[in-house]
Amino acid sequence: MTSTTSTLMTEPAAGRFGDFGGRFVPESLVPACAALAVAFREAWADPGFRSELDELLAVYAGRPTPLTPARNLSAQLGVELLLKREDLAHTGSHKINNVLGQAMLARRMGKTRLIAETGAGQHGVATATAAALLGLGATVYMGERDIERQQLNVLRMTTLGAEVVPVTSGSRTLKDATNEAMRAWVSDVDEAHFLLGSVGGPHPYPWMVRELQRVIGAEARRQSPTVPDVVVACVGGGSNAAGTFAGFVDTSARLVGVEAAGGAAMTNGSPGVVHGARSMVLQDAEGQVTEAESIAAGLDYPGIGPEHAHLGAIGRAEYRTVTDAEVVDAVRRLARSEGIICALESAHAVAWVLRAAGTPDLPTGSRVILTLSGRGDKDMTTMLGGAA
């Protein structure tokens, strides 16, 4: 299979990215997904919608976020490391970019309530924030295990007025929260919008969320003095990476996504269907989805966005893994070298750079843009635990 860079990361034909993507949903959700695709396409072509979103991103979310030279780490590692600072966006992560756009779209479609899934809680916080701003209801499904390790974000969501629903089934993490959120959408599809946080799910979600996150890569490309040698971001479902890669997919830059070693659907998975899309999935010999395991709640997911699966299949993007121990070390190394405490999710990308710098995988002198997808306040309890 071949694709030219000019056709990569555009609107997918029939919701397909090569062999991946599609819309594998209950019959009751097919009309809702189709209507959402039409509504987003119309909104995205509407200058008024784009202008309102751009204004909110600027005056409310704090965009553009800076591209910060990590001078101390660069000197230590022998590479030029530039950090795209999504941790400085309102609510503390890149999630606000997607959520503001989808919440505006929900209001435009006449919906009164947002339904969302969350793992680390950052998407839930962003959803609660947008709901409060735009006068919408918000119900956030969160795995019981993630609630226990992300109490700060649970408090933030409830303070903002959202209902947080604990999910006690399965592994009690992001996969199960997504299952329950989709079930809730089926039962209230006329009034509610399912505000998916990543580039997974049925069409149009992978395309829509990538477009709403494209602002990351577009800004970074304008801010970078030259095209970097490498662009790197952490990957679970992969929205921050998709948004970053979209700004550089038509350049010579290598695109590197970094997965959690205890999950790593791109590295350890096989083609299958999860949450309405065909992608790379962790599954057993019978095709049953298996559990992922990561110190980072936001990467505790058994799949990856279908566009990432396609980019990996055609060789345009590369996917690496790092261990929990490397991630914890990366949080500390960045904090003590640059005074920046990043999220455990973001630290996966940092960990790969720390390991690869000065090797053939990342030669000395390379210029690297790394997306710091979020800040690490939420993870301090985890850092204090046994894993630290």
Side-chain angles (χ1 to χ4, degrees), residues 107 111-114 128-138:
R107 183 183 63 180
K111 307 297 184 181
T112 61
R113 188 165 72 93
L114 304 176
T129 297
L133 178 68
L134 299 181
L136 300 169

Side-chain angles (χ1 to χ4, degrees), residues 14-373:
R16 295 279 186 167
F17 306 93
D19 293 333
F20 302 101
R23 186 183 287 155
F24 299 85
V25 294
E27 187 175 349
S28 57
L29 284 182
V30 171
C33 289
L36 182 59
V38 171
F40 177 68
R41 188 178 297 108
E42 291 176 350
W44 209 231
D46 180 353
F49 182 90
R50 297 289 291 268
S51 177
E52 182 182 358
L53 178 58
D54 287 346
E55 182 179 12
L56 277 179
L57 290 172
V59 304
Y60 187 72
R63 305 209 71 87
T65 58
L67 189 67
T68 302
R71 293 190 174 92
N72 297 324
L73 266 184
S74 295
Q76 295 166 23
L77 299 175
V79 299
E80 182 183 0
L81 181 60
L82 304 171
L83 306 175
K84 182 57 176 162
R85 300 292 304 282
E86 295 302 291
D87 59 309
L88 297 180
H90 182 44
T91 71
S93 82
H94 70 293
K95 295 293 187 181
I96 195 70
N97 307 324
N98 166 50
V99 164
L100 284 175
Q102 283 201 56
M104 283 177 52
L105 182 63
R107 183 183 63 180
R108 179 183 172 111
M109 296 175 70
K111 307 297 184 181
T112 61
R113 188 165 72 93
L114 304 176
I115 295 171
E117 86 301 339
T118 198
Q122 289 298 115
H123 177 59
V125 169
T127 298
T129 297
L133 178 68
L134 299 181
L136 300 169
T139 303
V140 180
Y141 289 82
M142 189 172 190
E144 191 176 57
R145 182 180 170 204
D146 290 337
I147 286 175
E148 292 168 359
R149 55 180 172 172
Q150 298 293 344
Q151 280 292 315
L152 174 60
N153 276 342
V154 174
L155 178 59
R156 293 171 75 193
M157 285 183 269
T158 56
T159 300
L160 288 159
E163 177 190 11
V164 179
V165 179
V167 175
T168 59
S169 59
S171 62
R172 301 173 295 136
T173 56
L174 179 57
K175 170 179 68 72
D176 311 290
T178 305
N179 290 340
E180 293 304 316
M182 292 187 77
R183 290 189 185 104
W185 186 32
V186 170
S187 66
D188 193 19
V189 73
D190 292 331
E191 295 295 322
H193 170 66
F194 176 37
L195 205 164
L196 184 59
S198 197
V199 287
H203 179 66
Y205 284 102
W207 162 54
M208 177 171 64
V209 176
R210 178 249 288 159
E211 286 302 286
L212 292 169
Q213 294 289 5
R214 182 184 286 271
V215 64
I216 304 171
E219 284 179 6
R221 185 163 175 176
R222 290 195 301 269
Q223 293 165 326
S224 180
T226 62
V227 173
D229 299 297
V230 180
V231 174
V232 58
C234 67
V235 175
S239 66
N240 91 94
T244 305
F245 291 177
F248 296 93
V249 71
D250 62 343
T251 73
S252 60
R254 286 173 59 204
L255 308 178
V256 179
V258 186
E259 300 182 285
M266 195 66 202
T267 305
N268 300 324
S270 57
V273 174
V274 65
H275 296 136
R278 187 172 192 270
S279 188
M280 297 297 287
V281 182
L282 298 177
Q283 55 191 331
D284 62 22
E286 284 72 46
Q288 296 299 307
V289 175
T290 57
E291 306 295 348
E293 188 68 39
S294 172
I295 193 173
L299 303 189
D300 223 343
Y301 187 68
I304 191 170
E307 191 164 32
H308 282 295
H310 176 58
L311 292 173
I314 65 173
R316 181 60 190 96
E318 309 161 31
Y319 296 86
R320 303 287 193 267
T321 66
V322 294
T323 66
D324 286 352
E326 289 177 299
V327 168
V328 171
D329 180 67
V331 171
R332 290 178 172 152
R333 183 88 177 267
L334 180 65
R336 295 171 185 179
S337 297
E338 302 294 339
I340 298 169
I341 301 175
C342 72
L344 287 167
E345 290 79 12
S346 313
H348 284 69
V350 178
W352 177 77
V353 171
L354 293 178
R355 186 178 71 204
T359 74
D361 210 17
L362 187 61
T364 298
S366 298
R367 171 173 284 161
V368 182
I369 289 180
L370 185 154
T371 297
L372 279 187
S373 58

